[in-house]
Amino acid sequence: MKKFTLILLLGLGFTNVFSQNYYFPKDAKTNQSALDKRISEISESILENYSEKDKETYYKNLITLQLLCKEFSKSLVSIDSLRNISGQEFPDEANLISVENYLYAKASMAKESSFEATYKSAFKDVYSPLTEIAKLRFPIQFDIIIKDNNKKIKKLFDRRKDKDSVSQKDFLKLSSLHLSNTVARKTKAIAVSLIAKEEDKHYVVQDSVSLKTKDGATIALRIGRKNNDTRLKPTVLIFSIYPYESGVRDDFLVKEAAYYGYVGVIANTRGKRFSPEEIEPFEHDAKDAYEVIDWISKQPWSNGEVGMMGGSYLGFSQWAAAKKMHPALKTIVPQVSVGVGNDYPMENNVFMSYMIRWINFVTANDFIDLENFLDGEQWSKLYRKWYKSGKSFRAIDSLHGAPNKIFQRWLDHPDNDSYWQNMTTSNDEFSKINIPVLTTTGYYDSDQVGALHYHREHTTRNKNAEHYLVIGPYNHGSAAGRTAKKVGKFTVDSIAKMDMDVLAYQWFDYIFKGAKKPDILKDKVNYQVNGANIWKHKPSLRMMNDDTLIFYMNNIRVGKDYKLSQQKSGSNEFIRQEVDFLYRGDSIQKSNYTYAKELHMYNQLSFVTEPFDKSFDINGSFMADLFVEINKKDMDVVLEIFEMKPDGSYMKLSDYMGRASYAKDPGKRQLLVPSKREHIPTKNSIFTSNRIGKGSRLVLLLGVNKDPFWQINYGTGKDVSDETIEDGKIPLQIKWFADSTIKIPISKVD
């Protein structure tokens, strides 16, 4: 043991490897050659004694360090070891991220004059055995955004701008980004050329097709088909506001459809790519999608049948298309669908600060301003700046630079009114949707409220709806793509692993080609029970549960918490809370996301149950009936529910954010009467399925929103977007009555 410690001391100069800092001169942050040199030197220092418990992390970092130290032959051995522990063949479509480093290492072992020739030879060896779908995904791996990498590098430097050193943890992040840039500069042009030649043998893409709408607007289209295939086929349509300037990702999407035996079409919203119109998100998509479908159905390569797929905005656009059903539209596969007016740009009538970031993302130019959008710290600083200023919510756009008319237009519609409803399917229009639908979303999907709104409305208003739902422990990205191993700090169950694109095309084959229904769709509602590593299948959301737990928010103290009890307290008992809107020392707030060792509370009270003596499943969305008395006319309510495990850790289960004055009707504001006991019902909480273990407790956080990431309701009764900190001079005083209840749908475990 002493000998091992001595080696660490000699090799690293510190007794604790994790505390190691490395000298990083300031000129290395701005001078490319100095940066290359210092990264190489530090890599050599770390590589000598590098260790890491997690084998996958170890080999990923080891490969990076070896390549930066020009130990190319050793890096190939490490790449092979990484493949072995992951259980993947190499090369394969799930391991393409390693291919760039593999090819770079192989080519770098040759003399500089023959780098390109060696690369081409190695590329052929790697590319040839790939499956066809993996070949299509190959160019996406090379579509590296060096500017984005540089931004991340700058962010790492900025965190230590006053210091001339970098920690090992930060350096490993830095070295990975630096290597990615190095490999991209060296190989990207060669790789893209080779891939283009290969793909041109199999696919043809028309990327400059335009369609004139009846009102004179231009819609930009991209069409992908198999070469020399003249058979009439169904079309898979993606209606998107996200065109990539390089075209690589969009080419993949239409080629992917062609690979599966369809014609692939991407239609971009008005104002995108070469469309000269003004960019107005959501507003024209219903009628434009109808005209695109009509145009497709009349093309010489179309058999007259169209299906739609895609996630987020692309999910919204499918419901917009279904607003006026074109007879050629035979099915839709909306993934993580934005519920415009329901969960975006406001959730339960509370506007989110994120909306200005997203508006800038899609309206800044004819494509998307990805570099600016991905700079999350820039936007967080803007939200905090607004929060500290105390200015009205309407002022955020001006703080960013200039007034934004889309932002201001949206704020003019705080009700879920006809402005939002005219954009997408609403009310009785759902009853006329008689085509099969497949919805996917996740327990951690930021647009889950929207996705489930469409599902509930369709299945409620059309009793014969053929609507299937797949939901699991997925976030916004993985519920519309490949599922991630982790969401936040939470490791998802192995059985939850899915590829949503593969599922979508299995669905299309079922609808258009008479193939069997995808195996996961054993019933209309298919959900993965978090923590139990099983899928369950039910005919409806209502059939998921056989009981309901009802808890009362007692005013009885249990240490620092209050008691969440199944025993009802008196209706006149209450807990007092006061919220000081003038205080802005909490501008940096940590969120409670998935798994945590401690909870972060802001203007909230905590309620805790007794430990449970049996295990059970929570399935669905909780509902609450809050009885309150406040000294103002309105407030924005926040509820969060967690499982507190016997070891004291917390698993996030669900949450709710909503404006009290819209709780009874999201389309009509009904202000509270000051000093009067009021009833605030909550719905549209986050849906979950989670196994609660024996010995666990439930924890409820109840409070009021005062957060830089959301509009602030000062309670005057005026338009909340116009309120300022001047309206918050009088603190919000609340009486939370102890007969308030929370109802949690559960299923007993056999």
Side-chain angles (χ1 to χ4, degrees), residues 301-452:
W301 35 259
S302 170
N303 73 347
E305 296 181 326
V306 178
M308 296 183 72
M309 68 175 291
S312 196
Y313 190 102
L314 287 59
F316 149 80
S317 62
Q318 295 173 64
W319 287 108
K323 187 175 180 68
K324 183 182 178 183
M325 287 295 303
H326 192 286
L329 183 61
K330 302 301 182 183
T331 187
I332 58 175
V333 185
Q335 302 159 323
V336 297
S337 304
V338 172
V340 66
N342 285 285
D343 72 350
Y344 183 80
M346 55 187 177
E347 185 168 319
N348 297 318
N349 301 91
V350 182
F351 282 106
M352 54 189 69
S353 306
Y354 170 79
M355 58 195 280
I356 189 64
R357 177 180 180 180
W358 185 85
I359 291 169
N360 183 81
F361 175 43
V362 298
T363 64
N365 58 55
D366 296 342
F367 293 90
I368 48 176
D369 191 356
L370 188 62
E371 183 179 346
N372 205 3
F373 178 76
L374 291 175
D375 188 359
E377 184 57 33
Q378 169 202 179
W379 295 103
S380 294
K381 286 179 179 178
L382 173 66
Y383 308 151
R384 290 194 292 269
K385 179 180 179 181
W386 160 73
Y387 182 75
K388 289 181 177 180
S389 75
K391 293 185 177 181
S392 73
F393 194 71
R394 285 190 183 276
I396 292 183
D397 55 353
S398 296
L399 290 173
H400 180 57
N404 184 293
K405 61 182 179 182
I406 298 294
F407 179 76
Q408 297 296 332
R409 186 185 306 169
W410 289 359
L411 293 183
D412 288 338
H413 296 275
D415 303 348
N416 188 348
D417 58 15
S418 60
Y419 173 75
W420 304 109
Q421 293 168 13
N422 287 339
M423 297 179 187
T424 187
T425 307
S426 60
N427 302 324
D428 288 340
E429 291 169 337
F430 282 101
S431 66
K432 301 172 185 177
I433 300 175
N434 291 314
I435 59 173
V437 179
L438 172 60
T439 287
T440 64
T441 183
Y443 308 142
Y444 308 106
D445 172 22
S446 54
D447 279 311
Q448 185 210 95
V449 169
L452 291 184

Side-chain angles (χ1 to χ4, degrees), residues 661-677:
S661 57
Y662 286 104
K664 295 174 182 175
D665 183 352
K668 182 181 179 182
R669 194 177 190 193
Q670 301 172 58
L671 295 173
L672 280 64
V673 178
S675 303
K676 177 186 175 184
R677 178 183 163 102

Side-chain angles (χ1 to χ4, degrees), residues 546-686:
D546 52 28
D547 202 354
T548 301
L549 289 178
I550 300 176
F551 293 102
Y552 295 89
M553 301 170 200
N554 286 350
N555 61 345
I556 301 170
R557 282 276 190 183
V558 183
K560 62 182 178 60
D561 307 305
Y562 290 94
K563 191 173 184 179
L564 195 60
S565 173
Q566 292 182 284
Q567 304 301 315
K568 185 176 182 179
S569 295
S571 59
N572 293 323
E573 297 178 9
F574 57 83
I575 303 168
R576 291 184 184 274
Q577 185 184 8
E578 183 172 288
V579 178
D580 180 4
F581 287 112
L582 300 184
Y583 176 67
R584 295 301 155 96
D586 55 352
S587 64
I588 298 178
Q589 298 186 7
K590 296 180 180 180
S591 63
N592 297 310
Y593 185 59
T594 65
Y595 174 83
K597 292 185 178 180
E598 63 177 339
L599 297 182
H600 304 288
M601 295 174 56
Y602 304 94
N603 304 299
Q604 292 170 300
L605 307 172
S606 62
F607 298 81
V608 183
T609 69
E610 294 292 333
F612 297 105
D613 57 7
K614 291 182 181 179
S615 182
F616 61 91
D617 294 339
I618 291 180
N619 294 322
S621 303
F622 73 82
M623 298 181 68
D625 287 293
L626 304 176
F627 295 97
V628 303
E629 180 184 311
I630 65 174
N631 64 331
K632 299 198 173 198
K633 297 179 181 179
D634 205 359
M635 64 178 178
D636 293 344
V637 177
V638 177
L639 295 101
E640 297 179 273
I641 299 182
F642 304 83
E643 175 189 7
M644 184 171 73
K645 297 179 181 292
D647 66 0
S649 63
Y650 298 89
M651 173 65 71
K652 180 76 169 283
L653 301 175
S654 180
D655 60 44
Y656 168 87
M657 162 83 78
R659 184 150 294 160
S661 57
Y662 286 104
K664 295 174 182 175
D665 183 352
K668 182 181 179 182
R669 194 177 190 193
Q670 301 172 58
L671 295 173
L672 280 64
V673 178
S675 303
K676 177 186 175 184
R677 178 183 163 102
E678 297 271 12
H679 173 218
I680 303 173
T682 71
K683 54 185 178 180
N684 287 334
S685 67
I686 295 301

Side-chain angles (χ1 to χ4, degrees), residues 3 17 103 272 289 335-336 402 478 481 488 521 570 587 611 658 685 690 694:
K3 183 176 180 181
V17 65
L103 293 172
K272 307 305 288 186
Q335 302 159 323
V336 297
S478 60
L521 305 181
S587 64
S685 67
N690 206 295
K694 179 180 178 181

Side-chain angles (χ1 to χ4, degrees), residues 198 343 472 498 544 585 635 696:
E198 291 292 334
D343 72 350
M498 293 184 69
M544 292 174 62
M635 64 178 178
S696 288

